[in-house]
Amino acid sequence: MEKGKIVALEDRIPKLKEQRRRKANRRLVLLLIMFFTLIVVIAYTQSPLSHVKTIAIQGNEVYSQAEIIKKSGLSKNTNIWKVRKNAVASKLQQLSEIKKADVNIQWPNTVQIQVKEYKRMAYLKQDTNYYPVMENGKILKERQTEKIPVNSPILLDFKEGAALNEMMKELKNLPSEILNSISEIYYSPKKTDQYHISLFMNDGFEVSATLRSFSEKMIHYPSIISQLDPNKKGLIDMEVGSYFKAFEPEVEEEEVEKDQGEG
């Protein structure tokens, strides 16, 4: 029986040698693949092929693509492996008009930047210039224009601070049709109300209000004017309740002044 076992083991030796040879070959092939892969990766990282080829930007309106790329610190000399997404996003969010920035890498050599800007809510008029005012209350001093903005309220006598921040917050809460119906907003604080404002509407009415309840009451503006004679303009007071006072006819005032002069 022992001799039979020895014969059986000898029969298996060629098979064991073959299996070991195959394993050694597979190991060698695997090592060669890893070696050449490492060589290719090293060559790629050191060659111009690994540099950023395309910087794709989406969502920008206030800033140009050139301005965003400059602020990001990226260029076509930047190695794609050295792009730190969070660091680039953090740089872009330092800009006062950028609300959020997302940076992603699309291999082999494209960087995608998606920005979300603060919305332009109004324009501040100073002298002959108009300055965009963002939803966060920032005034874009470097982006002034002499053209009268269309479909945006014009602010007068405001400056950066609590009142302007509150104004932007209230404007954001207004439906677009009401927002677009506002022509001018004057900051006109009183001793009894530091948040008092005066509005001039595109339809010829004037509104007196306080920022503390502005959007809450201004939502009812369409309903209020629907009950008024469109040919009879006046002041709509929304500070406490809501009441209407018609403007005095200018013709009658002129006639009175003329009669007094003759007398």
Side-chain angles (χ1 to χ4, degrees), residues 47-88:
S47 73
L49 293 174
S50 66
H51 292 174
V52 174
K53 183 178 180 180
T54 304
I55 302 174
I57 302 170
Q58 294 180 322
N60 58 308
E61 292 184 10
V62 175
Y63 289 104
S64 67
Q65 292 199 4
E67 288 173 313
I68 291 178
I69 291 173
K70 182 178 179 181
K71 184 63 179 179
S72 73
L74 300 174
S75 72
K76 292 190 176 181
N77 292 322
T78 304
N79 191 301
I80 195 76
W81 294 89
K82 294 182 179 179
V83 175
R84 300 292 178 262
K85 297 186 289 184
N86 291 339
V88 174

Coordinates of all heavy atoms in Angstrom, one line a residue, residues 47-88:
S47 N 4.1 65.0 -18.5 CA 4.0 65.5 -19.8 C 2.9 66.6 -19.9 O 2.0 66.7 -19.0 CB 3.6 64.3 -20.8 OG 2.3 64.0 -20.6
P48 N 2.9 67.4 -21.0 CA 1.8 68.4 -21.1 C 0.4 67.8 -21.2 O -0.6 68.5 -21.0 CB 2.2 69.0 -22.5 CG 3.7 68.8 -22.6 CD 3.9 67.4 -22.0
L49 N 0.3 66.5 -21.5 CA -1.0 65.9 -21.6 C -1.8 65.9 -20.2 O -3.0 65.8 -20.2 CB -0.9 64.4 -22.0 CG -0.4 64.2 -23.4 CD1 -0.1 62.7 -23.7 CD2 -1.4 64.7 -24.5
S50 N -1.0 66.0 -19.1 CA -1.6 66.1 -17.8 C -2.0 67.5 -17.4 O -2.6 67.7 -16.3 CB -0.7 65.5 -16.8 OG 0.4 66.3 -16.6
H51 N -1.7 68.5 -18.2 CA -2.1 69.9 -17.9 C -3.5 70.1 -18.2 O -4.1 69.4 -19.0 CB -1.2 70.8 -18.7 CG 0.2 70.8 -18.2 ND1 1.2 71.5 -18.9 CD2 0.9 70.2 -17.2 CE1 2.4 71.3 -18.3 NE2 2.2 70.5 -17.3
V52 N -4.1 71.1 -17.5 CA -5.5 71.4 -17.7 C -5.6 72.0 -19.1 O -5.0 72.9 -19.5 CB -6.0 72.5 -16.7 CG1 -7.4 73.0 -17.1 CG2 -5.9 72.0 -15.3
K53 N -6.5 71.4 -19.9 CA -6.7 71.8 -21.3 C -7.9 72.7 -21.4 O -7.9 73.7 -22.2 CB -6.9 70.6 -22.2 CG -7.0 70.9 -23.7 CD -7.2 69.6 -24.5 CE -7.3 70.0 -26.0 NZ -7.5 68.8 -26.8
T54 N -9.0 72.4 -20.7 CA -10.2 73.1 -20.8 C -10.8 73.5 -19.4 O -10.8 72.6 -18.5 CB -11.3 72.3 -21.5 OG1 -10.8 71.9 -22.7 CG2 -12.6 73.1 -21.7
I55 N -11.2 74.7 -19.2 CA -11.8 75.2 -18.0 C -13.3 75.6 -18.4 O -13.4 76.7 -19.0 CB -11.1 76.3 -17.3 CG1 -9.7 75.9 -17.0 CG2 -11.8 76.8 -16.0 CD1 -8.8 77.0 -16.4
A56 N -14.2 74.8 -18.0 CA -15.6 75.0 -18.4 C -16.4 75.7 -17.3 O -16.4 75.2 -16.2 CB -16.3 73.7 -18.8
I57 N -17.0 76.9 -17.5 CA -17.6 77.6 -16.5 C -19.1 77.8 -16.8 O -19.5 78.1 -17.9 CB -17.0 79.0 -16.3 CG1 -15.5 78.8 -16.0 CG2 -17.7 79.8 -15.2 CD1 -14.7 80.1 -16.0
Q58 N -20.0 77.6 -15.8 CA -21.4 77.7 -16.0 C -22.0 78.5 -14.9 O -21.5 78.5 -13.7 CB -22.1 76.4 -16.1 CG -21.7 75.5 -17.3 CD -22.4 74.2 -17.3 OE1 -22.5 73.6 -16.3 NE2 -22.8 73.7 -18.5
G59 N -23.1 79.2 -15.1 CA -23.8 80.0 -14.1 C -23.4 81.4 -13.9 O -24.0 82.1 -13.1
N60 N -22.4 81.9 -14.6 CA -21.9 83.2 -14.4 C -22.6 84.2 -15.3 O -22.8 84.0 -16.4 CB -20.4 83.3 -14.7 CG -20.0 82.8 -16.1 OD1 -20.4 81.8 -16.5 ND2 -19.3 83.6 -16.8
E61 N -23.0 85.3 -14.6 CA -23.6 86.5 -15.4 C -22.9 87.8 -15.0 O -22.5 88.6 -15.8 CB -25.1 86.6 -15.0 CG -25.9 85.4 -15.6 CD -27.4 85.6 -15.4 OE1 -27.8 86.7 -14.9 OE2 -28.1 84.6 -15.6
V62 N -22.6 87.9 -13.7 CA -22.0 89.2 -13.2 C -20.5 89.1 -13.6 O -20.0 90.1 -14.1 CB -22.1 89.3 -11.7 CG1 -21.3 90.5 -11.2 CG2 -23.5 89.4 -11.3
Y63 N -19.8 88.0 -13.4 CA -18.4 87.9 -13.7 C -18.2 87.3 -15.1 O -19.0 86.3 -15.5 CB -17.7 87.0 -12.7 CG -17.5 87.7 -11.4 CD1 -18.4 87.4 -10.3 CD2 -16.6 88.7 -11.2 CE1 -18.2 88.0 -9.1 CE2 -16.4 89.3 -9.9 CZ -17.3 89.0 -8.9 OH -17.1 89.6 -7.7
S64 N -17.2 87.7 -15.8 CA -16.8 87.1 -17.1 C -16.1 85.8 -16.8 O -15.6 85.6 -15.7 CB -16.0 88.0 -17.9 OG -14.7 88.2 -17.3
Q65 N -15.9 84.9 -17.8 CA -15.2 83.7 -17.6 C -13.7 84.0 -17.3 O -13.1 83.3 -16.5 CB -15.3 82.9 -18.9 CG -16.7 82.3 -19.2 CD -16.7 81.1 -20.1 OE1 -15.6 80.7 -20.5 NE2 -17.9 80.6 -20.4
A66 N -13.2 85.0 -17.9 CA -11.8 85.4 -17.7 C -11.6 85.8 -16.2 O -10.6 85.5 -15.6 CB -11.4 86.6 -18.6
E67 N -12.5 86.5 -15.7 CA -12.4 87.0 -14.3 C -12.5 85.8 -13.3 O -11.7 85.7 -12.3 CB -13.5 88.0 -13.9 CG -13.4 89.3 -14.6 CD -14.6 90.2 -14.3 OE1 -15.7 89.8 -14.5 OE2 -14.4 91.4 -14.0
I68 N -13.3 84.8 -13.6 CA -13.5 83.7 -12.7 C -12.2 82.8 -12.8 O -11.7 82.3 -11.8 CB -14.7 82.9 -13.1 CG1 -16.0 83.7 -12.7 CG2 -14.7 81.5 -12.4 CD1 -17.3 83.0 -13.0
I69 N -11.7 82.6 -14.0 CA -10.5 81.8 -14.2 C -9.3 82.4 -13.5 O -8.5 81.7 -12.8 CB -10.2 81.6 -15.7 CG1 -11.2 80.7 -16.4 CG2 -8.8 81.0 -15.9 CD1 -11.1 80.6 -17.9
K70 N -9.2 83.7 -13.6 CA -8.1 84.4 -12.9 C -8.2 84.3 -11.4 O -7.2 84.0 -10.7 CB -8.1 85.9 -13.3 CG -7.0 86.7 -12.6 CD -7.1 88.2 -13.1 CE -5.9 89.0 -12.4 NZ -6.0 90.4 -12.8
K71 N -9.4 84.4 -10.9 CA -9.6 84.2 -9.4 C -9.3 82.8 -9.0 O -8.8 82.6 -7.9 CB -11.0 84.7 -9.0 CG -11.2 84.7 -7.5 CD -10.3 85.7 -6.8 CE -10.6 85.7 -5.3 NZ -9.7 86.6 -4.6
S72 N -9.7 81.8 -9.8 CA -9.5 80.4 -9.4 C -8.0 80.0 -9.3 O -7.7 79.1 -8.6 CB -10.2 79.5 -10.5 OG -9.4 79.5 -11.7
G73 N -7.1 80.8 -10.0 CA -5.7 80.4 -10.0 C -5.4 79.3 -10.9 O -4.2 78.9 -11.0
L74 N -6.3 78.8 -11.7 CA -6.1 77.8 -12.7 C -5.6 78.4 -14.0 O -5.9 79.5 -14.4 CB -7.3 77.0 -13.0 CG -7.9 76.3 -11.8 CD1 -9.3 75.6 -12.2 CD2 -7.0 75.2 -11.2
S75 N -4.8 77.6 -14.7 CA -4.3 77.9 -16.1 C -4.0 76.7 -16.8 O -4.1 75.6 -16.3 CB -3.1 78.8 -16.0 OG -2.0 78.1 -15.6
K76 N -3.6 76.8 -18.1 CA -3.3 75.7 -18.9 C -1.9 75.1 -18.5 O -1.5 74.1 -19.1 CB -3.4 76.0 -20.4 CG -4.8 76.3 -20.8 CD -5.0 76.4 -22.3 CE -6.4 76.5 -22.7 NZ -6.6 76.6 -24.2
N77 N -1.2 75.7 -17.6 CA 0.0 75.2 -17.1 C -0.2 74.4 -15.8 O 0.8 73.9 -15.3 CB 1.0 76.3 -16.9 CG 1.5 77.0 -18.1 OD1 1.7 76.3 -19.2 ND2 1.7 78.3 -18.1
T78 N -1.4 74.4 -15.3 CA -1.7 73.7 -14.1 C -1.8 72.2 -14.3 O -2.5 71.8 -15.2 CB -3.1 74.2 -13.5 OG1 -3.0 75.6 -13.3 CG2 -3.4 73.5 -12.1
N79 N -1.1 71.4 -13.5 CA -1.2 70.0 -13.6 C -2.6 69.5 -13.1 O -3.0 69.9 -12.0 CB -0.1 69.3 -12.8 CG 0.0 67.9 -13.1 OD1 -0.9 67.1 -12.9 ND2 1.2 67.5 -13.6
I80 N -3.3 68.7 -13.8 CA -4.6 68.3 -13.4 C -4.6 67.5 -12.1 O -5.6 67.5 -11.3 CB -5.3 67.4 -14.5 CG1 -6.8 67.2 -14.3 CG2 -4.6 66.1 -14.6 CD1 -7.6 68.5 -14.7
W81 N -3.5 66.9 -11.8 CA -3.3 66.1 -10.6 C -3.2 67.0 -9.3 O -3.4 66.6 -8.2 CB -2.1 65.2 -10.6 CG -2.3 64.1 -11.6 CD1 -2.0 64.1 -13.0 CD2 -2.9 62.8 -11.4 NE1 -2.3 62.9 -13.6 CE2 -2.9 62.1 -12.7 CE3 -3.5 62.1 -10.3 CZ2 -3.4 60.8 -12.8 CZ3 -4.0 60.9 -10.5 CH2 -4.0 60.2 -11.7
K82 N -2.8 68.3 -9.6 CA -2.6 69.2 -8.5 C -3.8 70.1 -8.2 O -3.7 71.0 -7.4 CB -1.3 70.0 -8.8 CG 0.0 69.2 -8.8 CD 1.2 70.1 -9.0 CE 2.5 69.2 -9.0 NZ 3.7 70.1 -9.3
V83 N -4.8 69.9 -9.0 CA -6.0 70.8 -8.8 C -6.7 70.3 -7.5 O -7.1 69.2 -7.3 CB -7.0 70.6 -9.9 CG1 -8.3 71.4 -9.7 CG2 -6.4 71.2 -11.2
R84 N -6.9 71.2 -6.5 CA -7.6 71.0 -5.3 C -9.0 71.6 -5.4 O -9.1 72.9 -5.3 CB -6.8 71.5 -4.1 CG -5.4 70.9 -4.0 CD -5.4 69.5 -3.6 NE -4.1 68.8 -3.5 CZ -3.6 68.1 -4.5 NH1 -4.2 67.9 -5.6 NH2 -2.4 67.6 -4.3
K85 N -9.9 70.8 -5.5 CA -11.3 71.3 -5.8 C -11.8 72.2 -4.7 O -12.4 73.3 -5.0 CB -12.3 70.1 -6.0 CG -11.9 69.2 -7.2 CD -13.0 68.2 -7.5 CE -12.9 67.1 -6.4 NZ -13.9 66.0 -6.7
N86 N -11.7 71.8 -3.5 CA -12.2 72.7 -2.4 C -11.4 74.0 -2.3 O -12.0 75.0 -2.0 CB -12.1 71.9 -1.1 CG -13.0 70.7 -1.0 OD1 -14.0 70.7 -1.7 ND2 -12.7 69.8 -0.1
A87 N -10.1 74.0 -2.6 CA -9.3 75.2 -2.5 C -9.8 76.2 -3.6 O -9.9 77.4 -3.3 CB -7.9 74.9 -2.6
V88 N -10.0 75.7 -4.8 CA -10.5 76.5 -5.9 C -11.8 77.1 -5.6 O -12.1 78.3 -5.8 CB -10.5 75.7 -7.2 CG1 -11.1 76.6 -8.3 CG2 -9.1 75.3 -7.6

